[in-house]
Amino acid sequence: MASSNKTPTINDVARAAGVSKKTVSRVINRSALLKQDTRKKVEAVIAELGYVPNPQARALALRRNFLLGLLHDNPNAQTVLNFQEGVLDAIRDTEFALVVRPVDRHSPKMLEDIRHFLEQQRLYGVLILPPISENDELAALCREMGCGYVRMGSAPLDDEEHIVASNDREMVESAVDYLVESGHRRIGIIKGPEGFRSALERSEGFMAAMRKHGLAVPAELVAQGTYRFESGLDAAGQLLDREQRPTAIFCSNDEMAAGALHAARQRKVSVPADLSIIGFDDSPIAAHIWPPLTTVGWPIREMAKAAALKLVAPADERAQDYIFPARLVQRQSVAPPPDKF
Amino acid sequence: MASSNKTPTINDVARAAGVSKKTVSRVINRSALLKQDTRKKVEAVIAELGYVPNPQARALALRRNFLLGLLHDNPNAQTVLNFQEGVLDAIRDTEFALVVRPVDRHSPKMLEDIRHFLEQQRLYGVLILPPISENDELAALCREMGCGYVRMGSAPLDDEEHIVASNDREMVESAVDYLVESGHRRIGIIKGPEGFRSALERSEGFMAAMRKHGLAVPAELVAQGTYRFESGLDAAGQLLDREQRPTAIFCSNDEMAAGALHAARQRKVSVPADLSIIGFDDSPIAAHIWPPLTTVGWPIREMAKAAALKLVAPADERAQDYIFPARLVQRQSVAPPPDKF
DNA sequence: TTGTACGCGTTATCAT
DNA sequence: ATGATAACGCGTACAA
C-alpha cells in the first residue's frame, strides 16, 4: 500500500481525502469558508493518519515560528520555574513551545548575545524576567528586531501590552501597616541592591508607609542588602547591633529574611518574641525556615500566563490584565513588640 | 540599491559574493572541499551583510531541527534550573536551543501528551530528569519515535549513551561512614517515596552501610517520607517520639531534612548537640536553615552538560562520562552523639 | 467553496 | 571545486 512508515504530510492527507492540499490547509487553519462535509471528511482523515502539521515548514512559509523565548537572569530558581509553568499554562494545546535562555546581566556582551540569539532563533516573542526586564535597551532591541516582547516587573515600566507588573509598593505599605497595627514603631528595613527597580519600589513603599504613620526612619534603621542570604545576615547583624535596635525588620526579599533570622539566632534574639520579620516573595524557603516567615506573595504563575497570552493571543481577555495584586501571607515571624518597648 | 531592510538570505549572500548558493551553504556547513579563496570571500560577505542562516529553513531541508527538549516533573526548582544552565553551557555558541516541558507524572495521559509534543515539535532530542527519567515506557517512546534521549538518574538505568547518573548509593554509604566515625550507633533514616529509584538507591545504600558497620536498623528507626518538607516533619517526629530515639537521622533529601530540623526544634531537641542530621541534594535551603545542613551534593550542572553533549556531540570526549561522583558537603548539622548514649 | 502554481530559505543530487 | 535544479512541507494569490 501507499502509506510508508514516514510521518504523513499534508499531501498524504489531501490525497487520502481526495481534496487539494489547500483545502487541508484551510481545515488546519480553521478557515471559515469550508463546507461542513469537506471539513468533517478531512478531519477524519487527519485523525486516521495521525497527521500533525510540521511546525518548521509552517514557520518557513509564514515567516515566523512558534517559539516563545524566556530571557532571565534571576537568582531565584522558584520564581523562574513558576514563571515557566505559567507560560506553559498559556500555550498548552497550542503549537507554541517555550525556549529558555539564561543570560548574564553582568556581561558587557549581554545585549550583543541576546541580539544574536534573537537573530538566530527568530522567536515569535520573548518574555523577560526581572531584573533584566528593567533594561530599557533590551526592550528597544526587541522592538528594533521586530520581536514581540513582554516584560515582567514590579512596576508598570512599559505600555500595557508589553508589561505584567506586581504592585510591590502598595504591598510593602500594607506589610508596614500590619507591623504598625501589631504595635511596632521602630521598624528597620533591609534594602535590595541598587539598580533593581523592585528594590526601589519596595524601599519607597516602605518609606511612604512609615511617613503615613508619622514614623521616623533614621539612617540607623536602614541597611543595604544584595538580595542574597549572606547580605541579609550581615545587614540584620548591623541593625541588631545598634544601641537601640528595631523591634521589626522588613526584608526586601525572603532570602535576606532567612539571613536575618540567622543573625537574630546568633544574637539570641528570639523571633518573633523579640523581633518581628517580614519578607517578600513567598518563596519556598519562607515556609521551611523557623519560624515560618510572614511575607508578601505575588501571583507569578498567573502573571506568566497573562504575559504569554499577550504575545500569542493579544485579543484574549485574560491577556488584558497588566497589574497583578500581591498579598500578605501571614505565618509566624510577626508578633507584637516586647513590653519594654 | 539592492539591499532592502529585510534580513539577508543565502541568495543575497550568493549574489553579492558572485557564487552559487550551494557554495554559500558549503561555507556555512564547513565543507572540506572548498578553495580557501572562495571561503574567505564568502565569509567576508556573510560578515558584511550580517547574514544568519534561518534555522527553520535548515530544519525543513534537513528534516530535523535544532531543538533540545527538557522533560521534567521535578519538585526541586533549583535542580531543574541548574540542569537548564548546564545544558546551556553545552549548547552555547551552537545553533541549538533548549525548549522546556514540565509534565505531570500523575496524569494518565502523560505518555500520550509527550508523544504529541514530540510529534509536533520534532525535537532533535530530549533530556529527561528524574523522577520521570525512571519511566522505561517513556524511553521506549523516544526510541520508537526516533527521538534522541538522555536520561538523568541516580543509577545507571540505561545504556551509556542514554544516561548520566550519580552514585547515590555509594554517597549515602560515605555519609553513614561519617556518622559512624563521629560516634553514632543509633542512626535512623527517613526514606523517600516508593517508586522513586533515587529513594531506593539511597535507602539501600543506607542499609548496606549499616550492615557493613554491624549496626542494626530496627523498624523503629525507619520512617517513610515523600521528599516533601511536611513529610520530613512528620517522619522525624515519629522517630524522635520513639522510646529510644536515634542520635542521628539520614534524610533522603534536604527538604525533608529541613522538616526534620523543625520537628527537632518543636521537641526542644538541639541539633547537632542532641541530634545529628544529614540531608541529600545540597539544595540552597541546606545552607539557609539553622544549623546549616551537612548534606550530599551532586554535580547537576556538569551532568546536564554531559547529557546535552551526548545528544549534540556524541563523539566529544566530555560526552563520554556517564557516572558522576557526588560528594559530602560538611556543614554544621553533625556532631558526636550526646554523652549519655 | 475549491484547486493550481508558486514562494519561503535551506540542503542534496548530480552534473561539470 | 562549483553550479543548476529539485526537494523539504506548508501557506498564499489568484483563478475557477
Side-chain angles (χ1 to χ4, degrees), chain A residues 4 9 19 34 57 61 81 98 107 152-153 159 190 213 236 238 240-242 246 276 289 302 329:
Chain A
S4 69
T9 76
V19 299
L34 263 181
L81 220 66
L98 176 63
S107 162
M152 169 143 157
D159 310 329
I190 301 179
H213 290 289
Q238 294 166 24
L240 294 178
D241 291 341
R242 307 277 193 233
S276 290
I289 52 183
E302 287 69 27
V329 181

Side-chain angles (χ1 to χ4, degrees), chain B residues 15-47:
Chain B
R15 203 174 314 122
V19 300
S20 78
K21 56 185 197 176
K22 179 61 201 178
T23 300
V24 180
S25 174
R26 288 200 176 92
V27 172
I28 297 170
N29 295 297
R30 313 185 177 291
S31 162
L33 13 92
L34 260 182
K35 226 171 25 194
Q36 278 302 329
D37 288 0
T38 324
R39 180 188 301 279
K40 292 268 185 245
K41 186 173 58 181
V42 173
E43 277 170 351
V45 174
I46 288 180

